[in-house]
Amino acid sequence: MIVKDSEKASHISRGLVLLMATVCGFTVANVYLNQTLLVSMSTSFHVSAASIGIIATLAQIGYALGNLLIVPLGDIFERKKMILFLLFAICIVLALNALSINKTWMMVTSLVLGIVTVVPQIIVPLAANIASDHSRGKVLGNVAIGLVCGILGARLVSGFIDVHFGWRMVYWTSAVATLFMILLVYIYFPKSKGGNATSYKHLLMSLGPLFIKERALQKACVNQGMMFASFSAFWTTLVFLLHTHPYSYGSGMVGVIGLVGIAGAFATPIIGRLIDTKGEKFASLLCMSVSLLAFIGLIREGYWLPGLILGALLITIGTQANQVACQFTIFQLGEEKRSRLNGLYMVSTFLGGSLGSYVGLLAWIKWQWHGVCVIAILMIAISFCSLISINIPKKTIGNFTNKKGINM
C-alpha cells in the first residue's frame, strides 16, 4: 500500500496507529536508557557519578542532530525505507554501547545512538499525513502514547535489568527488541513519497529560511524546548535524589516512578481531542500550567515519596501533552514540508532537553533538589512567554525556494 503525501486519507486504522505508537516507544527509549544506568556506569568505568552525566546530555544532543540532518529527508525520500535503514543502524550502535570499555567509548556511541534514533520523528509526520483533518489531533495524541511509554518505560525496564543483570544487558535487550520492530515495520507499514524533488544540500539549505518565515514554528520551538528542558532536568537528577537521604534507593526505584509517570501517556489522546475542539493554544497553556504547579509543589514535597510520584506524573502529563499541541500547530503550516517542520521543531525540543540535563546536573551539584526545581520553574516561565512575545523578524529570502524547487 502506497500513501502519497499529497493525499488526505479519511481513515487510519487503529491497528496501524497502535503499531506506529509501539515502534515510536521502542526506538525513542534508546535515548533514555542511560539515565537510569548512570550510577552503574560510573562504577564500571571508575569515574564520578556527576561526570558520567555527560552521557545523558550527549544522547540528547545526538537526537537533536539526527532531527536536523536526517528527519527532513522524509520530505524527499520514501519514509518506510528510511525507517527500516535507521532501525538496522540502531541495532548496530546498541551492540557497540553494550561493548563499551570506558567512558569515552560510551560518550561516542551514545551520541551516535541519539543521531540514528530519530525514527519516531519520521513516523509522526507520516501519521499526520494519513490522518484526516478532523481527527489529526486525536491520531497524534494516540501515537504520542508510544513516545511517553518509551521515554518512561525505558527507565523502568533499564532499572530492573540493571539491578539483576547489569547495565550492558540493557543494550543487548534493546537490540533484540529493535530486530523485532524491523519485522513489523517491513510487513505492516504503508509506503509514502515525499513531495519535493531536490538535493540533500538544497533541502538542508531550506531549513533556515523556513524557520525564519514561520512565526508559529518559532513559538513552538521555544515553547516545547523549554518545557522539555524542565522535564529532562527532573528525570536526569531524579536518580541522584533517590540515592540520597531520606531515600537511599537504587536505580530500580527510578524505574518504578517512571512506571507511574507512564499514566501520563494517556493524557495525550485527551489533549488531542481537546485540540480538535478548543484549539492548540488553549491546550498548550493548560499543559504548561500543570507542569509549573508540579515543580512548585516539588520544592517542598520532593523529599516525600508520594509527593515525588505525583509530581513525576504531572510533569509527564504537562510536557508530553504539550508536545502534541505544538506539533499540531506546526503541521497546519503545510503537509509538503511536515518532515522539515518536525525536524526543526524536534531539534529545538532536544536541544532544550540536553540543556535541561546539563543545567539540572549543575543545579544539583550546587544547590541540590531545590535548585533543580527553581531552574525548571524558570524554564517553564520562558515557555509561557514564548506564546506571547517571541518573534524573529522575517528577512528577505528571495526566490530561493522557487529556484531550488523546495516548497515552503
Side-chain angles (χ1 to χ4, degrees):
M1 169 177 145
I2 297 178
V3 179
K4 294 183 179 180
D5 288 355
S6 60
E7 294 176 354
K8 296 269 183 142
S10 61
H11 176 72
I12 177 172
S13 70
R14 291 183 179 180
L16 181 57
V17 172
L18 176 61
L19 178 56
M20 287 180 167
T22 301
V23 177
C24 285
F26 272 94
T27 50
V28 78
N30 293 313
V31 181
Y32 301 92
L33 293 175
N34 56 55
Q35 292 186 356
T36 309
L37 309 175
L38 294 177
V39 175
S40 296
M41 288 179 183
S42 67
T43 301
S44 179
F45 297 143
H46 307 290
V47 297
S48 69
S51 69
I52 202 70
I54 188 65
I55 289 175
T57 301
L58 286 172
Q60 294 190 63
I61 290 175
Y63 197 81
L65 287 173
N67 274 280
L68 179 64
L69 301 175
I70 297 176
V71 170
L73 290 171
D75 283 340
I76 58 176
F77 292 137
E78 200 278 301
R79 289 190 175 104
K80 181 176 179 178
K81 288 183 179 179
M82 285 184 63
I83 293 168
L84 289 171
F85 175 82
L86 289 171
L87 289 174
F88 276 115
I90 289 169
C91 286
I92 295 172
V93 182
L94 283 169
L96 292 174
N97 273 265
L99 295 171
S100 295
I101 59 175
N102 54 45
K103 175 185 169 184
T104 301
W105 181 323
M106 194 66 191
M107 288 169 60
V108 173
T109 54
S110 294
L111 177 67
V112 176
L113 183 62
I115 292 173
V116 297
T117 310
V118 291
V119 170
Q121 305 316 323
I122 299 172
I123 292 176
V124 169
L126 177 60
N129 285 358
I130 298 174
S132 61
D133 291 339
H134 70 273
S135 65
R136 185 167 294 120
K138 178 182 176 181
V139 169
L140 291 176
N142 286 329
V143 172
I145 291 179
L147 287 168
V148 182
C149 290
I151 292 171
L152 297 178
R155 298 180 175 93
L156 173 67
V157 175
S158 63
F160 176 83
I161 295 175
D162 178 35
V163 169
H164 292 89
F165 305 102
W167 65 268
R168 296 181 190 276
M169 184 56 66
V170 173
Y171 290 99
W172 289 122
T173 303
S174 184
V176 173
T178 303
L179 287 173
F180 184 60
M181 292 299 107
I182 290 173
L183 179 62
L184 292 177
V185 169
Y186 179 77
I187 296 173
Y188 295 109
F189 261 42
K191 293 182 178 181
S192 68
K193 290 186 178 180
N196 291 302
T198 186
S199 69
Y200 180 58
K201 175 183 175 181
H202 294 153
L203 185 77
L204 292 182
M205 289 177 65
S206 73
L207 296 179
L210 179 61
F211 183 79
I212 292 170
K213 176 184 177 182
E214 302 292 356
R215 186 166 181 252
L217 175 62
Q218 297 164 16
K219 288 186 174 185
C221 287
V222 176
N223 182 350
Q224 182 63 8
M226 288 295 98
M227 283 287 286
F228 200 65
S230 66
F231 178 88
S232 295
F234 173 83
W235 286 105
T236 301
T237 57
L238 180 62
V239 64
F240 300 112
L241 174 65
L242 292 175
H243 274 80
T244 60
H245 180 78
Y247 295 117
S248 299
Y249 292 127
S251 57
M253 180 54 72
V254 181
V256 171
I257 294 178
L259 179 62
V260 175
I262 287 177
F266 296 94
T268 55
I270 297 174
I271 287 294
R273 294 182 180 92
L274 188 64
I275 292 169
D276 289 331
T277 56
K278 297 289 186 179
E280 62 273 20
K281 186 172 183 179
F282 175 85
S284 186
L285 287 170
L286 178 62
C287 295
M288 288 186 288
S289 299
V290 169
S291 289
L292 180 63
L293 291 174
F295 276 111
I296 291 174
L298 283 172
I299 292 177
R300 180 173 179 177
E301 304 300 336
Y303 292 97
W304 180 51
L305 187 58
L308 185 63
I309 291 173
L310 177 61
L313 175 63
L314 294 177
I315 290 167
T316 302
I317 290 174
T319 305
Q320 300 304 325
N322 189 66
Q323 177 164 312
V324 176
C326 289
Q327 282 180 316
F328 183 92
T329 300
I330 64 173
F331 286 158
Q332 305 311 301
L333 301 177
E335 72 175 74
E336 75 284 350
K337 52 190 174 185
R338 279 179 181 150
S339 287
R340 282 172 291 156
L341 291 167
N342 197 49
L344 288 168
Y345 168 73
M346 294 308 300
V347 166
S348 300
T349 297
F350 279 86
L351 284 178
S354 62
L355 174 66
S357 293
Y358 180 72
V359 175
L361 284 169
L362 292 180
W364 172 263
I365 292 169
K366 192 171 182 65
W367 300 296
Q368 300 291 293
W369 183 246
H370 288 167
V372 173
C373 292
V374 171
I375 288 295
I377 289 170
L378 291 176
M379 291 171 174
I380 296 173
I382 295 173
S383 291
F384 273 108
C385 293
S386 72
L387 288 184
I388 302 172
S389 61
I390 182 76
N391 184 20
I392 298 177
K394 295 181 180 179
K395 298 180 181 179
T396 302
I397 58 177
N399 296 321
F400 176 83
T401 55
N402 291 332
K403 291 178 180 179
K404 304 303 181 183
I406 300 174
N407 296 321
M408 302 228 302

